[in-house]
């Protein structure tokens, strides 16, 4: 059994509203169990949802995506199963939905992290946040990021150590764009960052518009 | 009879013992009560602090979504204050300051617009009877205020608390309000607990516009020694060529305080040129070893003439080891390595110094 498909991590970006439509009472029945298992397996295998529902929410009836299945209740379990299988096949044939690009934000300061996250999400990036270097290293090893934003003063592994891990191929793709956030007044930090092939360095306090522009420039190739 | 007297004496002693014991118990009870009272006060203060923090966190959580929207231009920042009740406005300003310290450019301007309707709260704190509240008011006005608001910090340079006065000076420096520099220089007398380097660091933050005022302070004999030294050091950090000219003129005057002369020579070393070599050369013969030490460094940095190299080599034999060391380092830093290498070949104190200077420079 895979991770809980109703968790925000799996639902994110692919219609959490549809996930919520699988009402708790449906989960008590046999068909709900099938639906749930199907969702779990599908989410685990393919990383996206097919949106099986007990009842079709009105708002979504006209825009049911490929791979969705509306299952009426009461109804025969065999029909539910066939609908699920058909939805599964359609989902397999349909082109994968283009999800948002992912950004890793490893920031020790909670306020800076909130501001950046809000801005990056507005810019269309899905943000994974880490408050220390060890968690960031684990996340980077999972891969799938279009950009990594690292605070040089992170707890655990600092920004430079994470940058070295990336460039040495120990964590994620070696060519991953990496932006370091540092305080001004110490040129040696900037020199060291670029010597270690940081893609960019942003000084604090930073202009939100400028930081956003720099990050968008780095993820632009991935968008294409 | 004797037995009776002895018995009475024993009884008296017992009564006395009991009295002493009662007194000890009483004192101990008082101490215990005092300790309990202090513990209760400490606990109460802790609970109050935790409760205040939690209340502030709840308020911030209520305002932050709207603030983030304002920072993305999705909401008018000037209307954000309506989310805070009148008694919550100090916490609202705290939130804005916390964001303002992390953001710059347009984002900082957005936060200033958000603070403008309630900044009166910060201005009111400037006159608070408690110095910590006045200091907090300076922080609020310095970060979130306009130039007009920050001008109201100038009177606080004369605050009865030197710490508050220093904060006001720093706030003005951070805001690059060079026109207020004369007031800050007047107040340097009150910052005696700060060393010259810290004062100079603060003066540098006023920026290049401050140079005329710094030149005036350096050459003004009526200013305190601290203010003049800090001005010279600030001019050195700003790399002011006009500062080097002023230092040159200053060193030609009689009766310059020793620390001011040393600061002027450091300024000459880092911002001066060959035109200033004459005064540095003259100072190399000063009877004061501190002046000679800085003069040798300055001469090595600004002079290109071969006879000055000979003079610096001669300083390697100065009776003061500090002057001799500066002379050796001066030869290294000015690239006069052949003469130093030749000296290092020989014997004696000069050769030892030359070898040490070369080793420090990685040329051994």
């Amino acid at each position: 059994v895979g991770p809980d498909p109703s968790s925000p991590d799996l639902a994110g970006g692919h219609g959490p509203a549809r996930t919520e439509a699988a009402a708790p009472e449906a989960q008590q029945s046999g068909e709900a169990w099938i639906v749930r298992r199907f969702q779990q397996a599908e989410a685990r295998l393919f990383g996206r949802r097919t949106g099986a529902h007990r009842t079709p929410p009105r708002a979504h009836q006209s825009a049911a995506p490929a791979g969705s299945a509306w299952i009426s209740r009461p109804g025969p379990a065999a029909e539910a199963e066939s609908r699920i299988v058909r939805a599964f096949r359609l989902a397999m044939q349909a082109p994968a939905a283009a999800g948002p690009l992912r950004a890793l934000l490893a920031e020790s300061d909670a306020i800076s992290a909130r501001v950046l996250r809000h801005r990056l999400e507005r810019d269309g990036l899905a943000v994974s946040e880490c408050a220390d270097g060890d968690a960031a290293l684990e996340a980077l090893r999972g891969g799938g990021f279009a950009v990594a934003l690292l605070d040089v003063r992170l707890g655990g592994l600092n920004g430079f150590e994470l940058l070295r891990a990336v460039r040495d191929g120990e964590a994620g793709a070696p060519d991953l764009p990496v932006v370091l956030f540092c305080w001004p007044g110490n040129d040696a930090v900037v020199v060291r960052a670029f010597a270690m092939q940081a893609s960019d360095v942003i000084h604090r306090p930073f202009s939100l518009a400028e930081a956003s522009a720099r990050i968008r420039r780095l993820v632009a190739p991935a968008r294409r | 009879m004797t037995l009776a007297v002895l018995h009475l004496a024993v009884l008296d002693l017992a009564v006395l013992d009991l009295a002493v014991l009662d007194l000890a118990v009483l004192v101990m009870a008082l101490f215990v009560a005092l300790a309990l009272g202090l513990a209760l006060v400490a606990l109460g203060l802790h609970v109050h602090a935790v409760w205040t923090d939690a209340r502030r966190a709840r308020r911030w959580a209520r305002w932050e979504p709207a603030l983030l929207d304002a920072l993305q231009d999705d909401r008018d920042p000037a209307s954000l204050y309506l989310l805070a009740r009148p008694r919550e406005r100090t916490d609202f300003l705290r939130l804005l300051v916390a964001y303002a310290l992390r953001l710059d450019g347009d984002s900082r301007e957005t936060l200033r617009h958000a603070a403008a309707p309630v900044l009166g709260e910060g201005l009111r704190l400037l006159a608070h009877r408690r110095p910590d509240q006045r200091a907090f008011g300076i922080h609020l006005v310095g970060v979130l205020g306009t130039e007009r608001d920050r001008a109201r910090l100038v009177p606080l340079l004369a605050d009865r608390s030197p710490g508050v006065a220093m904060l006001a000076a720093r706030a003005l420096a951070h805001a690059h309000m060079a026109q207020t520099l004369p007031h800050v220089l007047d107040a340097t007398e009150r910052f005696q607990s700060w060393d010259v380097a810290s004062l100079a660091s603060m003066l540098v933050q006023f920026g290049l516009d401050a140079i005329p005022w710094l030149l005036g302070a350096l050459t003004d004999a009526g200013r305190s020694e601290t203010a003049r030294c800090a001005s010279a050091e600030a001019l050195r950090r700003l790399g002011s060529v006009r500062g080097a000219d002023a230092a040159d003129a200053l060193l030609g005057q009689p009766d310059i305080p020793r620390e001011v002369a040393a600061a002027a020579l450091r300024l000459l070393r880092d911002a001066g040129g060959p035109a200033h070599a004459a005064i540095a050369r003259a100072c190399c013969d000063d009877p004061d070893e501190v002046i000679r030490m800085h003069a040798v460094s300055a001469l090595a940095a600004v002079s290109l003439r071969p006879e000055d190299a000979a003079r610096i080599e001669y300083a390697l034999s100065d009776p003061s080891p500090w002057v001799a060391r500066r002379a050796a380092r001066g030869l290294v830093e000015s690239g006069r390595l052949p003469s130093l290498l030749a000296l290092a070949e020989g014997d004696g104190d000069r050769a030892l110094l030359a070898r040490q200077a070369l080793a420090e420079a990685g040329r051994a």
Side-chain angles (χ1 to χ4, degrees):
Chain A
V1 177
D4 184 358
S6 62
S7 72
D9 285 341
L10 286 174
H14 290 277
R18 288 190 286 128
T19 310
E20 287 161 9
E25 59 268 32
Q27 293 174 11
Q28 308 296 322
S29 67
E31 67 185 53
W33 181 84
I34 294 170
V35 170
R36 187 177 169 79
R37 288 298 298 268
F38 173 76
Q39 286 178 332
Q40 286 173 343
E42 189 271 346
R44 191 175 183 188
L45 287 170
F46 305 105
R48 58 201 178 88
R49 311 292 309 279
T50 52
H53 295 281
R54 186 174 66 89
T55 54
R58 285 180 189 278
H60 293 154
Q61 280 184 26
S62 57
S68 293
W70 306 125
I71 300 170
S72 302
R73 189 178 182 192
E79 184 187 326
E81 189 175 348
S82 69
R83 281 174 181 261
I84 288 170
V85 169
R86 190 164 63 88
F88 188 87
R89 286 180 179 155
L90 282 171
M92 292 294 291
Q93 291 163 7
L101 294 174
R102 293 173 66 208
L104 175 70
L105 176 59
E107 171 61 66
S108 55
D109 176 56
I111 290 179
S112 299
R114 271 200 290 279
V115 173
L116 282 167
R117 182 185 190 114
H118 196 261
R119 181 65 185 220
L120 293 172
E121 286 178 347
R122 186 189 155 95
D123 287 345
L125 292 166
V127 180
S128 298
E129 211 175 302
C130 301
D132 66 74
D134 297 323
L137 183 68
E138 283 306 309
L140 282 167
R141 282 183 175 149
F145 293 106
V147 66
L149 312 170
L150 310 176
D151 177 7
V152 293
R153 290 185 187 170
L154 274 176
L157 291 175
N158 65 36
F160 288 116
E161 289 165 329
L162 285 171
L163 174 60
R164 183 181 295 122
V166 171
R167 294 294 178 247
D168 290 350
E170 294 169 16
D175 59 348
L176 174 70
V178 176
V179 180
L180 290 181
F181 282 84
C182 66
W183 287 97
N186 189 353
D187 294 343
V189 170
V190 181
V191 172
R192 186 180 170 197
F194 284 120
M196 293 175 67
Q197 298 174 47
S199 308
D200 205 349
V201 174
I202 295 177
H203 287 294
R204 300 167 195 269
F206 53 85
S207 154
L208 206 48
E210 183 187 326
S212 163
R214 286 169 181 262
I215 294 163
R216 275 187 277 127
R217 179 180 65 86
L218 290 171
V219 299
R223 284 195 196 282
R224 286 196 292 269
Chain B
M1 179 67 185
T2 309
L3 278 174
V5 169
L6 199 63
H7 183 68
L8 281 174
V10 168
L11 275 177
D12 283 350
L13 279 175
V15 168
L16 192 64
D17 276 355
L18 279 174
V20 168
L21 194 66
D22 284 350
L23 189 64
V25 168
L26 186 66
V27 169
M28 196 171 288
L30 276 173
F31 271 115
V32 169
L34 188 65
L36 277 173
L38 286 173
L40 281 174
V41 169
L43 185 68
L45 287 173
H46 176 70
V47 168
H48 181 259
V50 168
W51 181 77
T52 305
D53 285 349
R55 185 183 62 183
R56 185 181 305 147
R58 282 197 303 275
R59 288 175 178 172
W60 281 22
R62 210 174 77 222
W63 301 323
E64 274 187 315
L67 178 58
L68 288 167
D69 285 344
L71 287 170
Q72 315 293 346
D73 299 329
D74 289 345
R75 188 179 181 125
D76 177 20
S79 68
L80 284 180
Y81 80 98
L82 295 170
L83 299 173
R85 299 182 192 100
R87 67 172 184 279
E88 297 174 339
R89 286 180 178 168
T90 307
D91 278 345
F92 179 68
L93 285 170
R94 273 182 206 274
L95 173 69
L96 297 180
V97 164
Y99 273 72
L101 292 175
R102 291 159 174 86
L103 296 171
D104 204 359
D106 291 348
S107 309
R108 177 77 70 95
E109 283 307 309
T110 301
L111 292 164
R112 287 207 177 108
H113 285 138
V118 288
L119 197 64
E121 190 73 20
L123 292 168
R124 192 181 56 76
L125 287 175
L126 297 179
H128 202 279
R129 63 184 171 77
R130 276 170 45 193
D132 63 312
Q133 292 296 309
R134 291 199 299 280
F136 179 52
I138 289 170
H139 189 50
L140 290 177
V141 175
V143 175
L144 296 171
T146 60
E147 190 163 329
R148 191 174 166 188
D149 296 323
R150 286 191 217 109
R152 294 179 63 174
L153 300 181
V154 172
L156 277 103
L157 292 167
D159 193 277
R160 55 187 178 276
S161 159
V164 171
M166 188 67 198
L167 274 175
R170 280 211 170 275
L172 293 169
H174 274 296
H176 312 302
M177 293 179 68
Q179 70 276 19
T180 63
L181 188 60
H183 302 290
V184 174
L185 288 166
D186 288 341
T188 48
E189 281 299 311
R190 312 197 56 221
F191 308 147
Q192 295 294 339
S193 59
W194 293 70
D195 61 24
V196 169
S198 302
L199 283 174
S201 160
M202 185 256 290
L203 295 177
V204 165
Q205 287 184 329
F206 280 98
L208 294 174
D209 290 343
I211 286 179
W213 279 285
L214 293 172
L215 289 172
L218 173 62
T219 52
D220 183 357
R223 288 262 179 215
S224 70
E225 208 173 299
T226 309
R228 297 177 79 186
C229 289
S231 299
E233 177 63 15
L235 287 165
R236 186 186 73 78
R237 294 185 188 197
L238 290 168
S240 168
V241 178
R242 286 170 62 200
D245 292 339
D248 191 320
L250 181 70
L251 288 164
Q253 295 173 7
D255 302 328
I256 305 296
R258 179 204 220 188
E259 292 305 320
V260 176
L265 282 165
R266 285 195 295 269
L267 168 59
L268 214 61
R269 180 194 65 201
D270 287 357
H276 306 115
I279 192 71
R281 201 177 299 125
C283 290
C284 285
D285 297 325
D286 197 279
D288 189 335
E289 64 176 354
V290 173
I291 304 297
R292 285 203 309 281
M293 183 175 85
H294 291 293
V296 164
S297 277
L299 186 63
V302 301
S303 174
L304 304 170
R305 290 166 58 176
E307 59 265 35
D308 283 330
R311 183 182 282 269
I312 298 163
E313 283 172 31
Y314 179 71
L316 289 171
S317 305
D318 194 280
S320 163
W322 300 108
V323 177
R325 268 183 62 78
R326 282 297 179 99
R329 282 171 60 184
L331 287 171
V332 171
E333 286 164 7
S334 59
R336 295 180 172 97
L337 289 176
S339 57
L340 202 60
L341 286 165
L343 282 170
E345 295 293 321
D347 292 322
D349 290 344
R350 292 173 73 184
L352 194 66
L353 266 174
R355 284 199 288 274
Q356 186 178 341
L358 287 166
E360 284 172 1
R363 303 294 184 94

